[in-house]
């Protein structure tokens, strides 16, 4: 009898918990899937790797074009000067390599960002993350066409007529390597300077 009561109680608890999750799910998904505060950005810039920085051996020059989609993840975070928003950036970067080879690299990045929104016009931000990168370029030391990359950056938004429209300026640290999946695996450690517009 005691076992039966205990089993019924645990089953009832499981049913109540399941119903609570199902009833709260639409609100949770609505917050995650809300795109009303999302925006696009288009960035362009220049980057180069620095021989002697880590294991980097080649000075690789590139002009970069980066379309970005920004999804608001958490709004109204922090207070005072730390007030801001968390965003998820999805980027499809194109790197036009001009030296030592003339070719291109293309990739897909997923980045986590935090924008400080205490000031209505000048808004600094930071982000980091990485993704995959395919290299068409023949760069000595890169033993694979498929590579990984990670990056960290600081930037500044200059909001224009509304929060969706802004000029952006970024400085990025960018690392490319094949994570030891092929030999050789000489990484590229680069600095990139970017400017762009959000809409």
């Amino acid at each position: 009898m005691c076992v039966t009561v205990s089993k019924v109680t645990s089953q009832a608890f499981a049913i109540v918990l399941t119903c609570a999750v199902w009833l709260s799910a639409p609100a949770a998904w609505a917050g995650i899937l809300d795109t009303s505060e999302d925006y696009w950005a288009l960035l362009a810039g220049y980057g180069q790797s620095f021989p002697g920085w880590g294991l980097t051996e080649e000075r690789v020059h590139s002009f970069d074009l980066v379309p970005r989609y920004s999804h608001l993840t958490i709004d109204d975070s922090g207070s005072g000067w730390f007030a801001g928003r968390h965003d998820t950036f999805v980027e499809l970067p194109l790197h036009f390599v001009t030296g030592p080879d003339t070719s291109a690299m293309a990739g897909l990045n997923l980045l986590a960002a935090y924008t400080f929104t205490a000031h209505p016009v000048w808004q600094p931000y930071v982000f980091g993350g990485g993704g995959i990168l395919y290299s068409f370029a023949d760069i000595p030391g890169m033993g694979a066409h498929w590579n990984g990359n990670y990056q960290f950056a600081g930037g500044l938004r200059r909001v224009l007529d509304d929060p969706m429209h802004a000029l952006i300026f970024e400085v990025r640290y960018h690392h490319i390597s094949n994570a030891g999946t092929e030999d050789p695996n000489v990484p590229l450690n680069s600095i990139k300077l970017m400017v762009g517009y959000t809409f």
Side-chain angles (χ1 to χ4, degrees):
M1 179 72 175
C2 186
V3 172
T4 305
V5 170
S6 176
K7 184 182 278 188
V8 169
T9 303
S10 62
Q11 289 176 346
F13 178 74
I15 291 169
V16 169
L17 184 60
T18 302
C19 289
V21 168
W22 277 101
L23 290 174
S24 65
W29 280 108
I32 292 170
L33 299 178
D34 180 12
T35 60
S36 62
E37 297 292 322
D38 294 2
Y39 61 87
W40 289 89
L42 185 62
L43 298 99
Y46 169 78
Q48 71 169 304
S49 61
F50 294 90
W53 189 3
L55 298 176
T56 300
E57 296 177 356
E58 293 291 325
R59 188 174 301 279
V60 176
H61 304 267
S62 69
F63 290 93
D64 307 311
L65 184 65
V66 183
R68 171 194 291 165
Y69 181 75
S70 176
H71 175 67
L72 176 62
T73 310
I74 302 171
D75 199 6
D76 297 326
S77 180
S79 60
W81 70 269
F82 192 68
R85 56 182 274 165
H86 294 269
D87 291 282
T88 301
F89 294 163
V90 179
E91 294 185 339
L92 296 170
L94 295 171
H95 308 286
F96 301 98
V97 179
T98 59
D101 186 20
T102 303
S103 190
M105 295 185 282
L108 171 66
N109 293 325
L110 187 63
L111 309 163
Y114 188 83
T115 303
F116 298 87
T117 58
H119 194 278
V121 177
W122 297 100
Q123 300 179 342
Y125 61 94
V126 293
F127 67 80
I132 57 172
L133 187 75
Y134 186 85
S135 176
F136 298 92
D138 184 15
I139 298 171
M142 290 184 70
H145 289 293
W146 284 105
N147 294 277
N149 80 95
Y150 62 82
Q151 52 198 295
F152 303 98
L156 182 65
R157 283 173 48 93
R158 200 300 185 184
V159 178
L160 301 175
D161 53 342
D162 71 64
M164 296 295 181
H165 299 144
L167 298 176
I168 52 178
F169 310 90
E170 291 180 6
V171 178
R172 301 188 184 201
Y173 162 70
H174 190 231
H175 172 92
I176 301 172
S177 70
N178 66 44
T181 58
E182 298 288 344
D183 190 44
N185 178 33
V186 179
L188 296 178
N189 291 302
S190 304
I191 292 292
K192 296 184 179 291
L193 303 176
M194 312 288 290
V195 295
Y197 177 71
T198 69
F199 53 94

